[in-house]
Amino acid sequence: MPAPYPLIEIPPGDFSNQFDYPAISMAAAHNIFIQGVNAMAAHALHVTDEKVQPFMLFCLSVLEVVHHHHRVEETYYFDALEKKLGEGYLTESKDEHGTFVPQIEATESWLEDVRDGKTIYDGSGFLAQINSWADDMIHHLNHEVERLDREKIKECFTVNELKAIESEFMKVALKDANFYTSLPILLVCGNPATPWFPPFPLPLRWAIRYWFSRRHREAWEFGLLDLDGIVKPLPSPPT
């Protein structure tokens, strides 16, 4: 299916309810990735020569956010949940990473070659690369949310246990995040329907908008939102 790719429907429930939070927050995070892919696809055929380098940084930053999310899942989050959900409960989700991550890595290598002057940018070829792995990625993103069923979570965890997991998740996620690339992506590829995600404290949001985003400001122009969360007009993606 060619871009634009549909966002994941946010599961029913209340974001502030600890048993609803895992599925809702996972869907919100996954929608950032889809927003990023849609922004890449929307601009792919419209990038002028002088904008190729900032566009490469934007695209590489989107893919790094996807990789970072997977690292946190595989090194902390899945294990933390499986202590109560049962060993192997999320193995299928982990295995699904292998159905599209190698293809993303190939695209990443191509983007790096363009950035480094080894390859000439080709918008049609880039769009074809995106469409070669996006369906598998989005299937996985939807399936992973389904595994975090509210009733299953409530059956296995206490509120305090979930709060502890989410608190540690945030620490692990921020520990090796690139504040100058990954964090601006989370804002400019956000979903207007979930303005509360990511659940950053207000001082950190201000710091991203007014400090960390400054180093590569031209790259963030390719986001679907501006740094204040306002939807921007973008080129129509090819059909």
Side-chain angles (χ1 to χ4, degrees):
M1 179 178 119
Y5 294 93
L7 298 183
I8 298 169
E9 183 177 351
I10 300 297
D14 182 350
F15 180 74
S16 64
N17 183 300
Q18 207 64 48
F19 301 115
D20 295 334
Y21 181 84
I24 291 175
S25 63
M26 185 69 78
H30 288 179
N31 280 340
I32 289 177
F33 311 152
I34 299 173
Q35 290 273 83
V37 169
N38 283 338
M40 289 158 58
H43 284 288
L45 299 182
H46 304 279
V47 179
T48 57
D49 290 346
E50 67 273 15
K51 293 291 186 178
V52 166
Q53 285 304 317
F55 186 53
M56 292 302 96
L57 179 59
F58 173 81
C59 296
L60 286 166
S61 298
V62 169
L63 299 184
E64 170 51 30
V65 166
V66 174
H67 290 319
H68 179 268
H69 179 78
H70 290 160
R71 285 197 301 272
V72 177
E73 285 181 334
E74 294 179 358
T75 60
Y76 170 70
Y77 194 56
F78 284 170
D79 288 343
L81 292 178
E82 283 188 344
K83 288 178 181 179
K84 288 296 189 74
L85 292 173
E87 185 177 353
Y89 183 82
L90 293 165
T91 296
E92 188 175 0
S93 290
K94 188 182 297 185
D95 290 346
E96 284 175 357
H97 291 168
T99 66
F100 61 91
V101 168
Q103 290 87 344
I104 288 181
E105 290 174 341
T107 295
E108 201 170 27
S109 293
W110 180 83
L111 293 167
E112 290 169 347
D113 283 347
V114 174
R115 179 197 63 193
D116 296 341
K118 299 176 182 177
T119 299
I120 296 174
Y121 178 72
D122 170 22
S124 296
F126 181 40
L127 189 61
Q129 289 190 59
I130 293 171
N131 287 328
S132 73
W133 47 256
D135 279 335
D136 288 335
M137 184 187 84
I138 291 168
H139 169 78
H140 160 75
L141 297 180
N142 277 277
H143 183 228
E144 195 166 79
V145 171
E146 294 167 2
R147 298 295 287 163
L148 300 177
D149 175 71
R150 179 191 195 281
E151 295 306 316
K152 180 70 174 178
I153 295 293
K154 188 173 183 179
E155 173 188 324
C156 297
F157 292 94
T158 67
V159 167
N160 286 337
E161 286 170 339
L162 290 170
K163 285 182 177 179
I165 289 171
E166 295 300 336
S167 176
E168 185 64 20
F169 181 97
M170 184 63 73
K171 291 178 185 177
V172 173
L174 289 176
K175 183 178 180 181
D176 68 343
N178 187 323
F179 280 38
Y180 294 95
T181 55
S182 297
L183 295 195
I185 284 291
L186 298 180
L187 297 190
V188 301
C189 293
N191 177 8
T194 55
W196 35 262
F197 193 89
F200 290 151
L202 192 56
L204 178 55
R205 284 185 177 271
W206 286 344
I208 297 169
R209 289 174 184 168
Y210 302 117
W211 181 255
F212 295 117
S213 65
R214 293 173 60 185
R215 182 176 294 181
H216 306 295
R217 185 169 294 276
E218 283 192 353
W220 316 138
E221 294 175 7
F222 296 100
L224 298 183
L225 311 179
D226 65 20
L227 287 161
D228 293 319
I230 306 300
V231 178
K232 296 165 54 180
L234 293 174
S236 298
T239 57

